[in-house]
Amino acid sequence: KMAAIGTALMGKVLGHSAAEKAFRPWWDSLQDYLIYGLVMLGIILVPTAIITGTPLDCNFCQADHCSSTQKEFINEKEDPKFNAWWVKKYCTMNGAVEPFMLYFPYFLLLIALALVMIERVFLKAFKAGTKLEKFYSLLVRENVLDVKGDTEGVCTPSHDVVDGGREAIELRQSFRGTRNYFFSYLLRTIMELMVALILLVYMCWRGLPVLEHASTIICDVHSYYFECSGQPAQFYIYSLYITCTITIVYILCNVYNLLWLMFPCFGKLSRLMSTYRANMRDRAGDSLKTDKQLLGDLYDIYYNNRDLRLLLDLLATSSGVAPAIAIMTLFDKDFRDAMKPKIKHVVVSRDLGIAEVQFQEPRTGVRAALGDIHGVHLMYVAEIVPPAKSAVEAFESKYIPEEGELEDDIEMQPLRGFIQRACFHGLKNDVHYTMKISTVVNGKTICQVSEDIEDYHEKLPDDIEVYHKKLPEDTDTSNGGSVDLVKQQRQVKLQWLQSQATIDL
C-alpha cells in the first residue's frame, strides 16, 4: 500500500511531461529520485509519528532513577496518582517531546514538497514551460525525437530528419533576445541549493542532538517528574542519517548544475561548439572578421542566445550531441547544407539488377571543424528504398584538406573531399527505387539527401558501355548453351563493372 502511494505521488507530483523529460539532464533525474526517496522514507515513518498516536508510557520518578543529559530529577513529594493515559498525552503535547521528534515524519515530507515546489514555481513565474513545449513540438514534428508510446512518453532519436520549415523559423525568432528560461533555470538551481543547505544545517545542528538524547523523556506534570519512554528514537536517528545523505547528494547535484551553467567546459555540446568556433577562427587565420561573420546564423542561434543555447545543451545531455546538431541544422540552412553529402552520380542497370551511387562528403569548413572534435564520430550511410538484395552500406568519414589561401566564406569553403561509392544488387524491373545518403553523427542521423532512380534513365554511362562491350557475349541458350553459364557470364559482367567503371567527376 505504501509503495502504491509513493508511486502515485511520483506520477502526480514528481511527474514530468514528455517535453520536460526530453530536456531533463541526468542530475535533474537523479534529484527526482532523491526526492522520491525522501517521500518514501516519510511515508514509512508516518505510522510511527508521535503526534498521531503517542507511543509513550510514563512512570512517576522514584528515588534517583530519573536522569537525562547527566541531570537527575528527584520527586520530593508523594505520587499524586494521576491517570496514566492523561499523563502520557499531557507529556506528549506539553512540550516535553521536542517538536523535531514530534513532527519528524512530516518534516521529511515537507522537505520533499518544498524542493518540488521551487521548480514548479519558477517554471510558472518565468513561463519557461511554454518555450519548452514549443521546442519539443518542433523536435517531434521534424522527427528529431520520436515518442515511443503515448503512456510512457519515452523519447528516442529518429533517423529521418527533414529540413525544417515555418515552425522552425518562428521558434527561432521567439527565442531572439530572451533569457527567461536561462534565468529561471539559474535562479531555480540557486534556490534549491540554498534551501537544501539550510535544511541540512538545521538537521545536523538541531535535529541530530535532539534525537541522540531522546531515548528517555523527562516530563514535568504540575511539578511532579515523570519518566517517559516508547518513542522510536533510534529508528529516527538512522532515518535522519539517510535523510542527511540524500540531502548532501542533492546539494552536490545542484553544485554541479551551477558549475555546468556557468562554465561551458562542463557540457559536451558546449565543448564541441567552443572547439568548432576555435577551429573556424584558426582557419580564418589573421582575418579581421568577427565571430558573427565567421559563424553566420549559427552565432545568433547558439553563441549569442542564452535560452536556445541552454535548451540545446540540455537536449545534448539527455539525448546526445546528434539531436542537438540536428536541430541546429533545422534553424540554420547554411549549416544544414554544409553537413549534407552530395550525390555525384547514380548508375543503374535493370538487366543486371545493379545500381551504383557515387557521393562526395561535405566539402566545407563545418565538416572539417567537426571532424577534429574529440567525441564526435561522423559516418555516412547509403541505402536504397525499398530494400534490394543489398540495401545498406556504411562509410567512415574521410577527407583531405586543401592547402592554400582561404576564400571569404570560411563556413562554406570547399575542401578536397573524398568520393565514396556504394553498389546495390538484386534490383527488380518493376520496382521504383530511391537512393538515400545520410549523415550520421554518433550513431544518429542528422541530415539526409535522396535521389529517385528514374525508370527511363537507366543507361550506363558511355565509359561503362565501352567496358561492357569488351566482355564476352552471353551464351546463346537456343544452341545448347547452359542457362547457368549465362548467369555466370552476367556475374562476370557485374564484377567487371564494379572493378573497371570510373566516373569522371
Side-chain angles (χ1 to χ4, degrees):
K1 185 176 180 180
M2 292 182 182
I5 295 174
T7 303
L9 185 65
M10 187 72 172
K12 297 295 183 181
V13 179
L14 303 179
H16 300 281
S17 66
E20 291 172 335
K21 290 179 181 178
F23 294 92
R24 201 157 189 83
W26 63 265
W27 54 86
D28 279 352
S29 298
L30 178 57
Q31 288 177 344
D32 289 341
Y33 284 108
L34 293 174
I35 294 175
Y36 179 65
L38 287 176
V39 171
M40 291 303 300
L41 187 59
I43 292 174
I44 292 173
L45 292 177
V46 162
T48 69
I50 299 176
I51 189 66
T52 57
T54 177
L56 297 182
D57 284 315
C58 300
N59 185 47
F60 183 74
C61 288
Q62 302 177 15
D64 58 350
H65 299 311
C66 294
S67 62
S68 177
T69 62
Q70 299 181 350
K71 183 179 180 181
E72 292 186 354
F73 297 88
I74 300 175
N75 284 314
E76 297 178 352
K77 301 179 181 179
E78 295 293 329
D79 187 353
K81 306 298 183 181
F82 293 140
N83 181 279
W85 284 95
W86 177 82
V87 170
K88 64 185 293 185
K89 289 185 178 180
Y90 181 89
C91 291
T92 301
M93 303 299 180
N94 76 337
V97 180
E98 291 284 347
F100 185 85
M101 170 174 264
L102 194 63
Y103 302 105
F104 181 63
Y106 300 102
F107 176 73
L108 297 183
L109 295 175
L110 183 63
I111 293 176
L113 180 61
L115 296 176
V116 170
M117 291 305 298
I118 290 173
E119 179 178 0
R120 301 299 182 186
V121 167
F122 276 98
L123 282 175
K124 293 294 184 181
F126 287 86
K127 298 181 180 180
T130 304
K131 286 188 174 182
L132 206 62
E133 293 291 341
K134 287 182 179 180
F135 206 132
Y136 176 75
S137 176
L138 177 65
L139 292 176
V140 174
R141 188 180 71 83
E142 299 295 344
N143 296 324
V144 177
L145 292 177
D146 190 18
V147 179
K148 299 297 183 182
D150 294 336
T151 57
E152 298 180 359
V154 178
C155 301
T156 58
S158 176
H159 293 281
D160 292 318
V161 180
V162 296
D163 292 341
R166 177 176 56 84
E167 187 175 350
I169 297 175
E170 291 176 351
L171 183 62
R172 175 184 165 184
Q173 292 297 319
S174 69
F175 277 97
R176 176 166 291 182
T178 62
R179 297 185 177 184
N180 288 349
Y181 191 82
F182 174 80
F183 284 121
S184 169
Y185 197 80
L186 178 62
L187 292 176
R188 186 209 81 180
T189 302
I190 295 174
M191 185 64 68
E192 288 178 348
L193 180 60
M194 292 176 60
V195 170
L197 280 171
I198 292 172
L199 291 172
L200 180 63
V201 171
Y202 176 75
M203 287 187 292
C204 294
W205 173 70
R206 180 63 179 168
L208 196 56
V210 167
L211 296 181
E212 286 179 342
H213 299 91
S215 57
T216 300
I217 297 175
I218 303 300
C219 177
D220 185 350
V221 182
H222 300 310
S223 299
Y224 294 93
Y225 294 116
F226 285 79
E227 184 180 28
C228 301
S229 187
Q231 67 279 8
Q234 199 65 32
F235 183 36
Y236 281 5
I237 289 176
Y238 294 143
S239 300
L240 184 61
Y241 289 154
I242 296 174
T243 303
C244 290
T245 302
I246 291 175
T247 307
I248 290 172
V249 176
Y250 189 89
I251 290 172
L252 292 177
C253 287
N254 279 285
V255 170
Y256 181 86
N257 192 7
L258 197 58
L259 293 174
W260 182 83
L261 283 171
M262 305 308 297
F263 301 99
C265 60
F266 279 85
K268 188 171 184 180
L269 182 64
S270 294
R271 293 197 303 269
L272 186 152
M273 298 305 291
S274 296
T275 304
Y276 170 70
R277 176 164 59 180
N279 288 349
M280 298 300 289
R281 174 59 65 186
D282 290 342
R283 297 189 72 241
D286 297 330
S287 174
L288 298 179
K289 289 186 176 181
T290 63
D291 284 348
K292 182 174 178 60
Q293 291 174 320
L294 290 174
L295 300 168
D297 290 342
L298 198 60
Y299 178 80
D300 293 323
I301 293 172
Y302 184 83
Y303 297 98
N304 196 38
N305 193 320
R306 285 279 196 177
D307 281 1
L308 198 51
R309 175 175 179 168
L310 175 59
L311 286 174
L312 288 170
D313 286 340
L314 291 173
L315 179 64
T317 303
S318 61
S319 303
V321 173
I325 295 178
I327 199 66
M328 283 190 283
T329 63
L330 294 179
F331 289 139
D332 187 353
K333 182 179 181 300
D334 290 338
F335 188 75
R336 179 174 68 246
D337 293 340
M339 293 294 294
K340 286 182 178 180
K342 181 179 181 181
I343 296 178
K344 302 294 289 184
H345 205 89
V346 177
V347 180
V348 181
S349 174
R350 294 284 188 174
D351 293 336
L352 299 177
I354 64 172
E356 182 182 275
V357 59
Q358 294 187 2
F359 66 93
Q360 189 174 39
E361 295 184 24
R363 299 169 50 180
T364 61
V366 172
R367 165 63 189 82
L370 291 177
D372 291 338
I373 298 174
H374 177 71
V376 178
H377 180 71
L378 279 83
M379 66 180 300
Y380 302 94
V381 175
E383 60 181 322
I384 187 168
V385 180
K389 185 176 180 180
S390 57
V392 179
E393 287 193 32
F395 301 88
E396 292 295 329
S397 176
K398 299 178 182 178
Y399 66 95
I400 302 174
E402 184 177 90
E403 302 293 337
E405 296 182 358
L406 300 176
E407 297 179 4
D408 292 337
D409 191 353
I410 295 178
E411 183 179 12
M412 300 301 294
Q413 181 184 338
L415 303 173
R416 202 172 69 210
F418 190 84
I419 304 299
Q420 304 277 16
R421 171 184 292 176
C423 190
F424 301 96
H425 316 285
L427 275 68
K428 299 178 181 179
N429 290 327
D430 55 346
V431 178
H432 180 76
Y433 293 96
T434 301
M435 288 286 188
K436 292 183 178 181
I437 311 296
S438 304
T439 301
V440 180
V441 177
N442 291 358
K444 298 177 181 64
T445 300
I446 63 169
C447 58
Q448 189 179 83
V449 292
S450 62
E451 182 172 323
D452 292 334
I453 298 177
E454 301 293 340
D455 293 335
Y456 300 103
H457 300 279
E458 300 180 351
K459 277 190 173 184
L460 297 176
D462 294 337
D463 50 356
I464 294 183
E465 290 287 358
V466 171
Y467 294 124
H468 181 73
K469 292 177 181 179
K470 293 180 181 180
L471 296 174
E473 295 296 329
D474 290 347
T475 301
D476 187 358
T477 57
S478 62
N479 294 329
S482 170
V483 176
D484 292 338
L485 183 58
V486 174
K487 293 182 179 179
Q488 183 178 359
Q489 288 180 329
R490 289 186 175 180
Q491 183 65 27
V492 171
K493 289 182 180 181
L494 177 61
Q495 294 174 355
W496 182 271
L497 287 171
Q498 292 177 0
S499 61
Q500 297 293 331
T502 302
I503 309 299
D504 184 8
L505 300 176

